[in-house]
Amino acid sequence: MLLQFSPIIVLYLVAALINLILARTTWYQHKQPGSGLWALVLLCAVLWAVGSTLQMVVADPIWMLSMARFTHICIMGIVYFWGLFALRYSNHNEWLTLRFKILTAIVPVVSYLIFLFDRGNWFYATSYYTGEGGLFLLRMEPRLLAWVWAIYGYGVLIISLVVVVRSVWRTPNLYRMQAVLITLAVLLPMTSNFAQFSGLIPDYIDLTPVVFMAAGILMLIAAQRFEFLRLVPVAYDTIYHSINNGIVIVNTDWRIVRMNPSAESILGTTQSATVGQSLQILFPAQYEVIMRTTYEQPTMIELKLGNPVRTYELQANTLSNQSMLMGYIIMLADITERKIASEEHSRLLLEEERTRILTTFIAKAAHEFRTPLSVIKSGEYLIGKSSELEKIRSIATQNTIQVDAISHLVDNLLLMTRVDNRQVAFNLQKLDWNECVQTVVETQRASAAGRGITLIYEADQTHPVALIDDEMMANALRELLDNAIRYSPNDSTVRIVCSTPHCTVKFIDEGIGIGESDQPHIFEQFYRVDASHNTRGFGLGLPIARAVAERHNGRVELESSSEQGSVFSLWLPADPLKS
Ligand code: ADP
């Protein structure tokens, strides 16, 4: 047996060793998808380098042919496993069925068998020659089947390359560098192959197994630096499948692409039954809103689903990669318990607030009763002591005034509770605004005249019409006019002016006005500027007037105040369709 040596052998052995280490390291990551396949690619490169070494070292024709056949298995293995790896790496797992694997293995296996038993030079025409440095070498000239095989092999490599490059473009930035490295790793062996074909490298030196070493190193960097073979997507996938929240993924046309098991059970359907259909079939009522708003900002909607009904929070977000819109993700979170707890919380807060308001109301109301009651009581005492008829009469008159005050207070309290209680419906009718105001003015004219106060009423010429509860509005207007008269000096003038826009009425008096510090409070219940009760009143007129206006979707405002008087205005929306 004649042994021979060439420096390329050293290179082959180094490549074999390094590839073996790389294959081993990659294999230990075999929990990550694709790493096993890549380890097999590297293992084939190891065997290829070893086969090439043995072919070179032993100068025996039969041995050399056997080794050439052996390296050929490795080359086919590399092509085959690389093809599968590319599919796995680019997440085309649906292709990787056993059937597919068997079918794609047919060409390499058959062509290898032909090569193995080739007696008629169908594959290669082999000859021996003495090359540079007196090396005894095997020449293999490709024949028909070798070309068929080469077309298949390169076809697989090129398709795999396209698949990987496509996935690079679609890869989130996080994996971009990794995908670029992997593309380089596959391009390197192909480049060396072309170099050999084009005669740049002598044909007895096959650098491909050596180049695979570089490719293996690139892959390893990709693996170590960039979480090779995508652990994070695996984690995402696990979350996607196990999370309680429903997730529906739709494309840019709002057609359903995927749905996780939770979404299936929340929506009572399956991915296979809905895939490719519009999102509208899942959310008929909310679809329009989701579609219109999600493009600009994430949409949040509360909706009720299922039987028994539960409350969900639907959140829709855009899915984009490198600012390119790729679709939308719809997430459903069950907020039933949270919602019940928060409703219970608000109910308790409301209850507390109601109790607080009621307690304050009762305390203040009781306080208002106390003054007239104590006047009546002392009056009674004096009547019992007095024998003068004139004096008794005067005390009785005083008591009547106090009784009237109490009955006025009771009326106001009842009115206040009626207006405040949203359960009590207002009887709204289309009424002429001027008429409403004027009727109230006329009822007060006589009492105003008793103090020399002139009421000047000005109607609005457009005769606006509004939806009004006649009785309630009369109460509100009466309170405002009564205030204007009561807080005006004798022999002055009060103007009542109806105007538009809206149905507006202004009560303009020349009275004492309201100081700035009191203005923020005068609409509070029981608030009075004259806290010492020297003037008649309970501090309920303005709250009633404001509440009545608000129940008509209007307002009462203190427009101005000065030494010269006050201007209170009440407005409510006019009915645009007068009839
Ligand atoms: P009251 O029964 O005390 O008049 P209101 O709620 O009607 O209760 O008014 C609250 C307070 O606002 C009054 O006590 C008074 O001090 C002040 N006020 C209301 N209207 C006028 C007005 N036209 N001019 C001056 N002060 C006013």
Side-chain angles (χ1 to χ4, degrees), residues 16 19 41-53 70-71 74 209:
N19 277 341
V41 171
L42 289 175
L43 202 64
C44 289
V46 172
L47 297 175
W48 186 352
V50 172
S52 301
T53 308
F70 173 70
T71 53
C74 306

Side-chain angles (χ1 to χ4, degrees), residues 236-250:
Y236 286 167
D237 214 49
T238 312
I239 294 171
Y240 175 84
H241 280 99
S242 57
I243 196 166
N244 280 338
N245 291 11
I247 300 175
V248 180
I249 297 168
V250 292

Side-chain angles (χ1 to χ4, degrees), residues 32 67 93 119 175 179 352 359 394 453 533 548:
Q32 301 181 22
M67 282 305 114
N93 293 331
R119 296 278 172 259
Y175 294 104
E352 262 175 38
T359 319
S394 138
I453 297 174
H533 287 74
V548 169

Side-chain angles (χ1 to χ4, degrees), residues 483-484 486-487 509 512-514 522 527-529 537-543 566 568:
N483 280 353
R486 272 192 297 137
Y487 299 108
D509 66 51
I512 52 173
I514 298 165
I522 51 160
Y527 186 85
R528 309 203 66 223
V529 175
F538 306 105
L540 286 174
L542 289 179
S566 316
F568 278 90

